[in-house]
Amino acid sequence: MIARLLAAIVDFAHRNAISVALAVLALALASGWYAATHLSIDTDLEHLLPNNLAWRQDEIALDRAFPENDDLLVAVIDGQNPDLADRAARRLTERMRSEPRFFRYVREPDGGPFFDKNGLLFLSAAELQSVSDKLIAAQPLIGSMAHDPSLRGLFDTLALFVKNSAKDKGAIGRLNPTLAAIADTIDAELGGRNAAVSWQRLMTGRKPDARELRHFVLTVPVQDFAALAPGARAEAEVRRLARELEIGPQHGVRLRLTGPVALDDDEFATLREGAAASTITSVVLVCAILFAALRSARLAGAILATLAAGLALTAGFAALAIGSLNLISIAFGVLFVGLAVDFSIQFTVRYRDQRHRRGSLAAALTGAAETIGPALLLAAGATAIGFLSFVPTPYTGIRELGWIAGFGMIIAIALNFVFLPALLTLIRPRGEPEPIGFRRTAPLDRFLLERRTWVVGAALILAIGCAALLPFVSFDFDPLDLKNPHSEAVKVARDLMKDPLETPYTAEVLAPSLGVAETLAGRLEKLPEVSQAITAASFIPKEQQKKLAIIGDLTLLLGPTLSPPTILPPPTDAEVMTSIAACRTALGPLVARDGPRSPPARLQAALDAALARGPAILPRLRRTLLAGLERRLAILRGLINAKPVTLASLPPELRASWIAPDGRARVEVFPKGDARNPTVLSRFVAAVRTVAPDATGTPVTILDAGRLISSSFIQAGIIAVAAIAVLLLVMLRRLRDVALVIAPLLLAAMLTLAVAVAIGMRLNYANIIALPLLLGIGVAFDIYFVMNWRSGQSRHLQSSTARAVVFSALTTISAFGSLALSPDPGTADMGEMLTLSLICTLFCTLFVLPALLGPARRAARHVAAAAVQQPRIGPPRAVSEMAQDPGSRRE
């Protein structure tokens, strides 16, 4: 009955080919236009996840309480010395705040007036005493430069120090680091290399640690979620401001962007970069394989037109039913082509087979509908169920893909019974004088039948081996692994993770008050998995009275030095050259005593070279030798005037990032160890939740989102297998036949996962999408063979169905395999997993399923024999019928 109905539909399309083709084309064009004007792309990753889960509610509550910490763009500034890094971060922050069109909120978390004034209080008492002693020792240098902050003051001071220490080896030993630093800076500038002297180091004699060389600027950018890279405009503006402010390697400073916004935008840019190459490769390979399968450019063109119409209609449905594509459902196009092309190839190859058997175009079309139509309809239904099984899952991103791709399969099968026959009628393909199939596979067919026990036994052993490897299947929950490792944002993120105190993988807890937050932080810090927990109270220094006493002593000695009664006016170039020459002369006795490789000798040689250049070199020396002087003197004046820090005296910007307007407080918890290690991350989150069950933050989101996604796929898989089994049972009415369809599919799934384990491929958010494709393709292929077997076919590999299956798989592999060429790791992983799953599916369909099926039933064999023994179309009759049927003329 179904076969007759499908044959009637195809016959109608054949008899009304022009009307049907025009109607479908008009509908496809209208649908395509509607999709182009109404279907948007939503690049907001937050919309991929449901909002009604507990952990999402915790995350949303934190974001609402502290919006300035959500969707951050992070500028990481590394300087050759602390002065350069501080100056660049401060100037960039000021300029970004003046650009509200691009930046909603800007702050410098590790800088600003508060830390300029109170920075010494955050040192330990021992560290503060050491710094104080060194500043007191540098008092003569500080006083001289405060009195004359110019090149003249610098070289006059050096000349005075050199003369006073000529007879004191201990004094010259303390002075040598300063002489060497200035000599190196002058040499670098004269040699065209970038360098700048660090006044912090000259004044304290302390080598800065890595954290002092790095500053951060955090901003919440204005994003355009209708664009493929929402934060691109803000990122471009940061880089423009950096160029304007001379923040770059040539000026001793490096600026790099990272954070959630930059990471996402870099991923979109990588996807865009590889899209053109993979699309062109895919189209060329698909067209070539279609031509090889059909041996006709007209037939291949008809299939491509059917795919294009189906894609336009599916896009129109997506625009009408959903309105936007997320970053997962946007893959519906690739999935549609990969699956729908199978239906078209199956129908067209069966048409060729029937054309060879029956001769006329009309008979071949209805014959194809009768013989392959029910199998195609069942395969399409099973594939649609496979996608629609995602609809009940909680994962929003894949749920929308399920709706679109599921209805896309319905559209695809409808077009293959209506539009494709109409096109075949209009293009008038030539007849088929040769049988369609793989005749050379006859020995393999015989082997699979005669040795089917061996083959089934080998398949069983293979299944047992695959099952043994399944416990080793792992899921990579870290989304950073799906991003381009060569992009700037990813490189910076991984660089930050090397320091446990800078890693972005921190947990956060929203407490009802600061008091509760402090209690939680104290309990969290006792956990072995936690390195530290920070609250607003962490910015109130400990032992303040003891430290303020040390600073008070420093103020008595250094205060007058930093605030001289007069400051000399800027010198002329001639005065500076005179000071350089005097300093060069003063170094002579030390050079004679300590030798040509000593710091005094190096500085003398550098000064000789500078004198040889004349006054033209002075602007460059001012930039490299004095760039951070005035800023460092100003900071020192603030530091020695530090006052007790209380919660009330915290700057509003700092306080707002830790205490919400309603009094709720944030706790930030840092992991101990490498947070990118899945074991470390899991233990860290589990430990934090023992104290704070409502903890959120990046590690929590990574793990909970991973569990949500994996559970959604498992749930969808169970629903799909159960629903498909019911459909097959209703249609096939034999439990054994249902098992014959599903068994090779399960083996293919196990084999895919086992091979992935063997080659070290891990499941992730991107390549897990291969599983529904495996289900759709596998069910379709198996149904074709089982339906043939039910109709009496035993020589499966010689049939036209096997030819269609092989070329359909090759076409799909070409379409998806090209994704493996993408520079985006997520896309490449998806392409590799799709290719692997298709190869495993093809293997199980072609070599395992025929052995499972065995010889056809006797009654079915008689039916098949009767069909085969129909009057064959010999050459004279074939020519005669082709002449009578205009639709069967040769090209």
Side-chain angles (χ1 to χ4, degrees), residues 35 42 44 60 67 135 360 370 460 529 553 648 656 802 815 862 885 888:
D42 182 3
D44 191 344
I60 292 169
L135 286 172
S360 70
E370 289 173 348
L460 182 59
E529 295 84 2
D553 294 339
H862 289 318
D885 186 354
S888 55

Side-chain angles (χ1 to χ4, degrees), residues 611-669:
L611 289 169
R613 296 282 187 95
I617 194 63
L618 295 183
R620 292 163 61 186
L621 292 182
R622 289 191 189 98
R623 186 180 68 248
T624 55
L625 294 176
L626 303 178
L629 174 62
E630 292 188 6
R631 168 71 175 161
R632 187 54 54 185
L633 290 173
I635 289 175
L636 278 177
R637 293 187 187 104
L639 289 172
I640 62 175
N641 289 301
K643 304 295 182 185
V645 176
T646 63
L647 188 63
S649 67
L650 292 178
E653 182 183 81
L654 176 61
R655 181 186 173 92
S657 65
W658 293 94
I659 302 176
D662 60 3
R664 288 180 296 172
R666 182 169 69 94
V667 184
E668 187 166 9
V669 191

Side-chain angles (χ1 to χ4, degrees), residues 267-284:
E267 183 174 12
F268 300 147
T270 303
L271 288 170
R272 186 168 57 243
E273 176 188 339
S278 61
T279 301
I280 293 172
T281 303
S282 175
V283 169
V284 170

Side-chain angles (χ1 to χ4, degrees), residues 332-348:
F332 87 91
V334 179
L335 293 175
F336 178 88
V337 171
L339 292 167
V341 74
D342 172 62
F343 304 151
S344 297
I345 290 176
Q346 289 290 341
F347 186 90
T348 307

